[in-house]
Amino acid sequence: MIKKCYSHNKHAHLLRSFFKEYKEELVNHISREDETVFPYAIKIEDNYLSRDQTVQEEQFTEGYTIDFYRSEHNNIEEKLFDLKNIIIKYLPSPENQALCSKVLSALFILEQDMNDHSRIEDNVLIPKVILMEKAVRQ
Ligand SMILES: [Fe+2]
């Protein structure tokens, strides 16, 4: 998009670096969830369902609680919102309008997906894990 829509704009590199930062943030967010949060939620659920009293909490959670995740959970959709605004409000008319519209359209869809992602985590995953944690740790 930058090459084909803003090749003559001297500030277009700012868009590239903003996008690069957003991408890193998104990848880190997803990795943390895949490597830590979701395996933890599955272990808590397994323990909750099996009610295996022989397994001590520390053996499977290593002190982790969903509260750590909730407190560090950043809203990845906010930066995406900013990215869209930079393109719409602050960049000049693109050289390739059709391509720019396609990219913007994809960003709107991604934003909707990320909003759904966050809403499910905040309203379904976290409350469910909190309830299971309470039951398991009684
Ligand atoms: Fe998330």
Side-chain angles (χ1 to χ4, degrees), residues 26 29-30 32-33 37-38 69 73-77 114 117-119 121-122 125:
L26 180 62
H29 181 107
I30 291 169
R32 187 170 55 250
E33 289 175 351
V37 181
F38 298 153
Y69 170 63
H73 193 213
N74 53 346
N75 284 327
I76 45 178
E77 61 273 17
M114 297 319 302
H117 168 96
S118 294
R119 199 169 49 252
E121 287 171 350
D122 293 342
L125 177 70

Side-chain angles (χ1 to χ4, degrees), residues 9-42:
N9 188 294
K10 61 182 178 180
H11 301 300
H13 70 281
L14 296 173
L15 181 62
R16 186 188 305 277
S17 64
F18 194 91
F19 178 77
K20 195 177 167 197
E21 273 178 37
Y22 175 71
K23 183 180 165 188
E24 281 175 21
E25 199 175 302
L26 180 62
V27 167
N28 288 339
H29 181 107
I30 291 169
S31 295
R32 187 170 55 250
E33 289 175 351
D34 283 348
E35 292 164 14
T36 306
V37 181
F38 298 153
Y40 170 75
I42 289 169

Side-chain angles (χ1 to χ4, degrees), residues 31-106:
S31 295
R32 187 170 55 250
E33 289 175 351
D34 283 348
E35 292 164 14
T36 306
V37 181
F38 298 153
Y40 170 75
I42 289 169
K43 281 181 186 176
I44 284 287
E45 185 185 50
D46 286 348
N47 194 263
Y48 174 79
L49 294 174
S50 71
R51 301 291 179 139
D52 184 357
Q53 299 302 319
T54 63
V55 178
Q56 295 298 309
E57 175 192 332
E58 303 307 321
Q59 288 178 299
F60 69 92
T61 66
E62 296 166 358
Y64 188 87
T65 72
I66 202 69
D67 244 9
F68 291 122
Y69 170 63
R70 184 164 56 175
S71 61
E72 72 178 10
H73 193 213
N74 53 346
N75 284 327
I76 45 178
E77 61 273 17
E78 285 173 13
K79 202 163 197 168
L80 184 55
F81 180 80
D82 292 340
L83 178 62
K84 280 179 13 217
N85 276 344
I86 290 171
I87 295 169
I88 294 167
K89 290 183 182 174
Y90 301 108
L91 288 177
S93 288
E95 295 149 26
N96 184 334
Q97 185 68 49
L99 177 63
C100 190
S101 294
K102 264 188 179 176
V103 172
L104 270 174
S105 190

